[in-house]
């Protein structure tokens, strides 16, 4: 199992402090849709408490949870890359408290402070790599279970 990367603890203290100057405390009630796949990605969150499900619409009536995020996890990375659209949806699985960051403001800070920008991009890349590894493990587990239960 891969270790989850926590954005705020992974950043060096000086960069974390600069980033936190842009943080706004927000909350989402249980079952609140935070964002929808295909929507404009212009912000991200660091979850302080609660849980968020990332989901993917697979049919007009069915969504599949692809990941569950909790305290310390970064929610949303699409604000960092064109076309700045969410790849998944997100819904609060429980009451959620989070720090919210405005993407364009963070990007402007990264231009002003290239060391912060490099640290942030490296940390986001580690988060994405960790989540990809976790997803790969889940897919392999499902594949193995299906092979054991009979022909594909």
């Amino acid at each position: 199992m891969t270790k989850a990367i926590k954005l705020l603890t992974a950043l060096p203290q000086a960069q974390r402090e600069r980033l936190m100057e842009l943080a706004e405390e927000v909350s989402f009630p249980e079952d609140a849709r935070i964002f929808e796949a295909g929507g404009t990605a212009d912000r991200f969150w660091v979850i302080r408490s609660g849980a968020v499900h990332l989901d993917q619409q697979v049919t007009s009536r069915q969504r599949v949870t692809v990941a569950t995020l909790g305290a310390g996890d970064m929610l949303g990375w699409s604000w960092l890359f064109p076309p700045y659209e969410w790849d998944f949806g997100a819904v609060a699985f429980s009451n959620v408290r989070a720090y919210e960051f405005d993407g364009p403001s963070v990007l402007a800070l990264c231009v002003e402070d290239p060391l912060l920008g490099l640290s942030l991009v490296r940390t986001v890349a580690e988060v994405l790599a960790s989540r990809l590894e976790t997803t790969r493990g889940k897919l392999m587990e499902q594949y193995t279970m299906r092979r054991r239960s009979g022909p594909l």
Side-chain angles (χ1 to χ4, degrees):
M1 194 68 166
T2 58
K3 179 180 174 255
I5 308 299
K6 307 297 184 184
L7 176 70
L8 295 179
T9 56
L11 287 173
Q13 183 176 349
Q15 283 78 36
R16 181 174 54 247
E17 289 172 2
R18 296 245 12 230
L19 181 64
M20 288 305 295
E21 292 173 6
L22 301 177
E24 180 180 330
E25 293 186 30
V26 298
S27 61
F28 301 99
E30 183 176 350
D31 296 327
R33 173 102 358 224
I34 300 168
F35 57 83
E36 187 65 69
T40 301
D42 60 356
R43 59 198 61 249
F44 69 96
W45 300 264
V46 174
I47 300 169
R48 296 176 59 210
S49 65
V52 174
H53 284 177
L54 293 179
D55 59 22
Q56 182 69 56
Q57 189 89 34
V58 291
T59 68
S60 62
R61 290 201 227 161
Q62 183 183 12
R63 293 179 187 270
V64 173
T65 298
V66 296
T68 300
L69 306 177
D73 287 332
M74 178 182 178
L75 171 61
W77 52 267
S78 298
W79 62 275
L80 193 53
F81 306 104
Y84 308 107
E85 293 178 356
W86 300 117
D87 289 315
F88 300 101
V91 65
F93 181 69
S94 62
N95 291 329
V96 171
R97 293 175 49 219
Y99 293 118
E100 181 177 88
F101 298 87
D102 176 72
S105 297
V106 172
L107 290 172
L109 180 61
C110 290
V111 169
E112 178 186 315
D113 183 347
L115 190 56
L116 170 65
L118 179 60
S119 295
L120 184 63
V121 168
R122 280 186 170 166
T123 302
V124 170
E126 288 180 35
V127 168
L128 293 176
S130 174
R131 290 185 188 167
L132 182 60
E133 181 64 25
T134 298
T135 301
R136 185 177 71 110
K138 287 179 183 177
L139 288 172
M140 292 304 296
E141 183 179 300
Q142 288 177 2
Y143 176 77
T144 302
M145 286 175 26
R146 285 188 179 148
R147 296 232 357 148
R148 288 182 186 152
S149 64
L152 295 176

